[in-house]
Amino acid sequence: TAWLSAFYINKYKKRGYMKREELLYICGGKDWHSNDDNICFTGNVYGKEINFDFSGYKEEEIVSDFGDFIEVILKNFKQLDIVARGIIKNQHKDEDVDILELSDIIFDKSGCYDIFALGYRVGETQAGELYLLIKFDQNLLADSDIVYEVY
């Protein structure tokens, strides 16, 4: 959306245009895949393999608008993870949230995950692979609602 791009450009964009290689470097990334309006790559954040998924975005939008914001996310990654796990724990008091695998950072142009979401792989269910997603806004504030997705 236009306001989203304008927000990133005004608040987080410092360096100017970033190349794909630079974005991969700051994320410890590899394996850039692109088809239509879906781009993903695998990153390494604090020794953990994390999938970065961008749905609805073109490469030019990602490298020009997201690089600096992703750096902010990565600098705050541990705290964001703690907050997200706290939200999950509040709603699933009998579950051990420490065993959840943080597997994805998801950006969706439709806004369904606000600005981005952290995705936690729960495991296989009869319906498929279950993930819990915690949405964050542009100020890195989490939404207390959990999104449940099955793939």
Side-chain angles (χ1 to χ4, degrees):
T1 60
W3 74 267
L4 186 63
S5 294
F7 172 81
Y8 289 129
I9 290 167
N10 293 332
K11 184 165 183 176
Y12 293 104
K13 195 167 184 169
K14 299 172 192 145
R15 280 192 296 267
Y17 188 79
M18 181 181 286
K19 295 180 180 172
R20 177 197 305 185
E21 293 76 20
E22 292 174 291
L23 181 60
L24 287 172
Y25 177 78
I26 65 171
C27 297
K30 61 181 181 177
D31 302 328
W32 182 284
H33 297 283
S34 175
N35 64 6
D36 297 326
D37 286 344
N38 190 31
I39 295 173
C40 60
F41 61 87
T42 304
N44 187 312
V45 183
Y46 293 108
K48 295 180 182 186
E49 191 170 279
I50 302 289
N51 299 310
F52 287 78
D53 298 301
F54 300 86
S55 181
Y57 291 98
K58 304 238 181 273
E59 180 174 338
E60 298 78 32
E61 293 173 295
I62 295 168
V63 296
S64 67
D65 294 346
F66 282 95
D68 292 325
F69 186 63
I70 289 174
E71 281 188 298
V72 171
I73 292 171
L74 295 177
K75 286 177 185 171
N76 292 283
F77 188 76
K78 288 182 181 180
Q79 185 61 33
L80 296 172
D81 183 35
I82 290 167
V83 167
R85 289 177 190 273
I87 290 168
I88 296 167
K89 183 66 176 175
N90 282 340
Q91 295 185 33
H92 297 279
K93 294 181 182 359
D94 296 334
E95 301 296 329
D96 181 6
V97 298
D98 294 330
I99 64 170
L100 293 175
E101 175 190 353
L102 175 50
S103 58
D104 298 272
I105 299 176
I106 304 165
F107 296 86
D108 192 303
K109 196 170 192 173
S110 73
C112 63
Y113 305 129
D114 205 335
I115 302 299
F116 71 97
L118 294 183
Y120 295 84
R121 182 181 177 278
V122 176
E124 194 65 37
T125 67
Q126 289 181 339
E129 197 76 27
L130 175 63
Y131 288 81
L132 305 180
L133 306 178
I134 304 299
K135 302 179 287 186
F136 289 85
D137 69 13
Q138 67 271 13
N139 295 312
L140 305 182
L141 298 175
D143 186 318
S144 61
D145 291 332
I146 300 172
V147 177
Y148 299 85
E149 292 203 358
V150 176
Y151 299 100

